[in-house]
Each structure stands twice: as structure tokens, then as C-alpha cells.
Amino acid sequence: QRAMVFTAAFLGNSYALVRRSPRTAEPVSLTILDTESVTPVAMADGSIVYRYDPTGGEKETYEGMDVFHLAGQTVDGRVGLSVLQLARDTIGIGIAADQFTGSFFEKGAHVKTYLSHPSRMNAKQLQDFREIWRAQFSGTKNAGKTPILMDGMTANVLATSNTESQLQGLRDQQIRAISNLWGVPPHKLGDPTRTSFSSLEEENASYLSQCLDPWLHAFEAEARIKLVSTAERNSESVIVEFNREALVSVDYATKTKGLADLFQRGLITRNE
């Protein structure tokens, strides 16, 4: 389940082969298929088959009822859209910001300073000086050391700093942009400035309705069709449903106060 949601959330689709008992045709297991090797095909009669063409494997064609298909946002009701493809620029900016920040601090943020020498150095002297300078002053472990310049060498500071580069602002902006792609509250991704609810209960309720519920509904609907027989659905002897109350459970004091109020109004009995 977790692997399928992870894949569908990024690539738009996740597929699993439903293996059934030869005797009863009841589902006994799910085998995850490589998403990029599966192609849903609509047939003339309106049914859907899944063509599986794995790298280095044999091609297979599966009936629609034999493939558990978890799809994300879709425009045709059949194939989900890849968030990585639709938002590659937004995600790419976040990756680039992380890489630049790592490089910025790895070099001890000394890219803002350059050194000048009154005379011309040959290639050997220049290389030796660079190695000595990097060994003594580059990197966060050498931060704060004071260099001593000799032979008329001077240091020149450029008007660039971590604050002026707005690295943290860019990172925070990308956290919010990426959280919007999946409906995840920004504070769950490490942005504490965007907490808009007064209690954990309200936050979890919003997280459930805006982010989790679409995936839970998709899972439940597909499971009812592919994993539950017609007789079981008609008799309601088998029900597929996630326990949403586990996420939005309230604290003990609030719960007992609510139950007492229902009892006083005559809406529940003592036994209930």
C-alpha cells in the first residue's frame, strides 16, 4: 500500500497484479508492476486492458479486473498525471537551491572574497597557494580563522552575503510550492511559519480532507471493484474502508464532554 501510494503520488499511476485462487477466483495476493512498463488500453467495448512490457521480460496483457490501478489526478478518468512531469521546474528549483546551499557552505562562504597579489605568480606558485589556502580556510570547520596576508597581497570583499542571496527565503518558498502540489500542509514539511490552525485536531482534520482523503477514496473504490466479489458487495458482507477516526481522534477531556452532552440530550444511552 505504501509503495503504491508513493509511486502514484510522483508518477501519477501505480499498478499491482491481482493473483487469484484457481479454485475460487478470490484474490490471494498483489504483485506490484513496474509503472513505466504498463500501458492501459481502452477497448472497443469500453473495457480496459493493461499491456505490460517490462525491460528484459516477456510482454503480457492483463484484463482490467486483474490489475489494481491506483491513479492520481487525471483528465480522462483512466490514466493519472505525473506530478514530476507537470511540476518539474518547481521541483528542479528546489533541488538546485539545496545543491547551491550545500556548495555555498562547503566552501565556507568565502566565494565573496578574492585575493590580489602585486606581482605575477607562475602556475606552480598559484597552485601551491590555492592548496594551502583551501586547507587552512575552506569549509565550515575552518570558519572564523583569520588569514595573514604577506608579500603585499590584499583581500577584496564582494558585496555578496548569505542574506543577500536570499537562500533561506528561496528554500521556504519552494517548500510551500511543493507542498501545494500534493496538498500537504507546509508545516509538515518543515515550514513552521505556515501553521494556520489553533489545535492539532484541526490540523489533522485539514490534512485528512485536503491531502489524504482523495488517496483513501481511490484505494477504497479500486479495492471494492477488484478485490471484493459482486456477491460480497451486494450483501455488504465485506466492506473496504480506512479508519479515518484514528487520525482525527480528539483528546480525552473533549471526548468525554461530547459524550456527556449526547447523553444529557437523550441521543445515546449509558450502555452506548
Side-chain angles (χ1 to χ4, degrees):
Q1 172 186 323
R2 294 168 65 182
M4 293 190 70
V5 171
F6 181 87
T7 303
F10 285 96
L11 300 182
N13 301 276
S14 184
Y15 307 93
L17 178 63
V18 181
R19 300 192 181 275
R20 303 181 184 276
S21 168
R23 185 173 59 87
T24 63
E26 293 182 350
V28 294
S29 67
L30 294 175
T31 302
I32 294 180
L33 304 175
D34 177 25
T35 297
E36 296 181 339
S37 300
V38 179
T39 304
V41 179
M43 308 303 288
D45 61 358
S47 63
I48 296 177
V49 298
Y50 294 87
R51 293 178 179 170
Y52 188 48
D53 186 12
T55 303
E58 296 183 1
K59 296 182 179 180
E60 299 282 355
T61 299
Y62 301 114
E63 297 294 329
M65 287 297 294
D66 292 331
V67 176
F68 191 104
H69 179 189
L70 182 64
Q73 294 291 341
T74 175
V75 295
D76 60 4
R78 186 173 70 250
V79 181
L81 302 174
S82 171
V83 176
L84 292 183
Q85 291 293 329
L86 295 176
R88 57 183 179 270
D89 291 339
T90 299
I91 297 173
I93 291 174
I95 295 175
D98 282 342
Q99 293 176 341
F100 180 78
T101 303
S103 176
F104 193 92
F105 286 105
E106 179 184 3
K107 294 178 174 58
H110 288 299
V111 291
K112 62 183 180 181
T113 303
Y114 71 92
L115 304 175
S116 60
H117 197 277
S119 61
R120 183 181 179 87
M121 291 183 176
N122 59 41
K124 180 67 167 57
Q125 291 173 326
L126 186 60
Q127 182 63 29
D128 290 344
F129 176 78
R130 282 176 175 169
E131 292 179 357
I132 294 173
W133 184 270
R134 288 172 180 168
Q136 293 184 357
F137 303 108
S138 179
T140 55
K141 66 179 182 179
N142 292 321
K145 287 186 176 180
T146 302
I148 299 176
L149 305 180
M150 303 176 65
D151 300 327
M153 183 176 292
T154 58
N156 303 275
V157 180
L158 299 175
T160 302
S161 68
N162 186 26
T163 301
E164 291 168 343
S165 299
Q166 298 182 349
L167 293 180
Q168 189 59 47
L170 176 60
R171 288 166 60 86
D172 291 343
Q173 181 181 359
Q174 290 312 114
I175 288 176
R176 293 190 286 273
I178 290 175
S179 71
N180 289 336
L181 297 176
W182 286 277
V184 178
H187 69 271
K188 288 188 176 294
L189 299 183
D191 183 4
T193 64
R194 289 299 183 273
T195 303
S196 56
F197 297 98
S198 59
S199 69
L200 180 61
E201 178 187 355
E202 293 177 348
E203 290 179 2
N204 285 339
S206 174
Y207 178 46
L208 173 62
S209 63
Q210 297 182 23
C211 177
L212 297 183
D213 227 22
W215 291 107
L216 300 182
H217 278 299
F219 241 108
E220 290 167 345
E222 191 74 358
R224 291 189 190 104
I225 297 172
K226 306 291 180 64
L227 304 182
V228 180
S229 67
T230 303
E232 290 171 334
R233 286 197 299 272
N234 293 338
S235 64
E236 296 185 350
S237 60
V238 176
I239 298 176
V240 180
E241 188 176 59
F242 285 92
N243 181 18
R244 293 165 173 79
E245 293 183 0
L247 183 65
V248 294
S249 59
V250 298
D251 61 88
Y252 182 77
T254 303
K255 183 176 181 179
T256 53
K257 182 180 179 181
L259 291 174
D261 184 62
L262 290 175
F263 174 71
Q264 292 173 1
R265 293 172 181 268
L267 300 178
I268 61 173
T269 66
R270 288 185 180 274
N271 292 335
E272 289 175 324

